[in-house]
Amino acid sequence: SNFMASAEQSFLDEVAEAAGKDPIDFRLELLERAITNPLEGVNNDYDPERYAGVLELVREKSGWGQQEPGIHRGVSAYFCHNSYAAQVLDLKMENGVPRVQRVTCALDCGLVVNPDAARNLAEGGIVDGIGNALFGELTFVDGVPAKRNFDQYRMIRMSEAPEEINIHFVENTVDPTGLGEPTFPPIFAALANALYQATGKRLYDQPYLKSLSTA
């Protein structure tokens, strides 16, 4: 799901750029069309109004549109496990290496029963996703994993985690839905879109650090 989310959301950014539109505005326009003029015979499994809601919330909470010197921003949004997630990722480049400064995440997972646990789940998915996107690679030789333990499989380190993660929940009384997975897939795309802003290179293959070095 992380590969599909990254490809889909990076493609949306490419189309928005070609159309000369802001990436969030472009997504909201598509969702508005799904709300007011849905395709005949198409029954989406998502609610476009709730999908738009997390995009609007993350735009507000992240201060989208405000430029900081040296900071490059990427956005993504995703629906899975009946929950909605939108993320804005801010990074800067240090000696050619990306450093994630901040992730702002808006979530609609229905009624939040345990806010602390929900926030921890969201933060964990974000950190794990960034680590997988930058470093995660499992190779095989003759059908056998070449990396068979953590001394060979690269994982994110504490010093590489975002300096700041801000989680914002949409307040509603909808029955609770999934939260273990929804923040994981879209962070790949938010990172890829931020890296494009930083480097001018569209990255489609993970791990991104390896792709950057060979692009």
Side-chain angles (χ1 to χ4, degrees):
S1 60
N2 58 296
F3 174 78
M4 291 298 294
S6 181
E8 170 194 287
Q9 293 292 313
S10 293
F11 175 71
L12 282 174
D13 262 38
E14 286 188 69
V15 177
E17 182 181 39
K21 296 184 177 181
D22 174 85
I24 293 183
D25 289 343
F26 181 68
R27 288 168 169 81
L28 288 171
E29 285 179 18
L30 294 177
L31 290 167
E32 179 63 24
R33 189 177 304 172
I35 295 168
T36 61
N37 188 27
L39 292 175
E40 186 176 350
V42 175
N43 294 314
N44 294 313
D45 57 354
Y46 66 89
D47 182 335
E49 292 187 12
R50 294 177 68 188
Y51 211 145
V54 290
L55 278 163
E56 290 167 348
L57 182 60
V58 83
R59 177 171 61 183
E60 172 196 344
K61 297 298 185 180
S62 67
W64 182 260
Q66 301 173 14
Q67 300 297 321
E68 298 179 54
I71 297 296
H72 310 279
R73 317 193 87 184
V75 64
S76 69
Y78 198 59
F79 166 78
C80 69
H81 296 75
N82 295 317
S83 293
Y84 305 79
Q87 298 166 339
V88 169
L89 181 146
D90 299 346
L91 66 79
K92 64 180 179 180
M93 302 296 290
E94 295 181 353
N95 299 318
V97 177
R99 303 284 296 185
V100 179
Q101 302 296 295
R102 182 189 306 113
V103 175
T104 305
C105 178
L107 283 166
D108 184 344
C109 56
L111 181 66
V112 179
V113 177
N114 186 328
D116 286 342
R119 189 171 291 106
N120 289 340
L121 275 171
E123 292 170 346
I126 287 168
V127 173
D128 192 26
I130 291 171
N132 274 267
L134 289 176
F135 312 115
E137 182 181 41
L138 189 59
T139 54
F140 294 81
V141 178
D142 297 329
V144 178
K147 301 176 181 182
R148 305 187 68 178
N149 213 322
F150 289 117
D151 62 334
Q152 298 170 314
Y153 182 79
R154 175 77 157 89
M155 296 190 72
I156 192 170
R157 301 185 174 108
M158 291 180 68
S159 62
E160 296 162 335
E163 295 183 6
E164 183 180 346
I165 301 177
N166 298 311
I167 308 296
H168 304 277
F169 294 100
V170 173
E171 296 184 8
N172 59 37
T173 56
V174 178
D175 289 346
T177 48
L179 194 54
E181 180 81 6
T183 63
F184 182 80
I187 201 67
F188 288 74
L191 179 54
N193 290 332
L195 285 169
Y196 171 71
Q197 296 299 323
T199 67
K201 300 173 182 176
R202 290 283 183 193
L203 301 177
Y204 302 101
D205 297 318
Q206 300 154 12
Y208 292 150
L209 281 186
K210 182 177 180 181
S211 295
L212 275 176
S213 65
T214 57

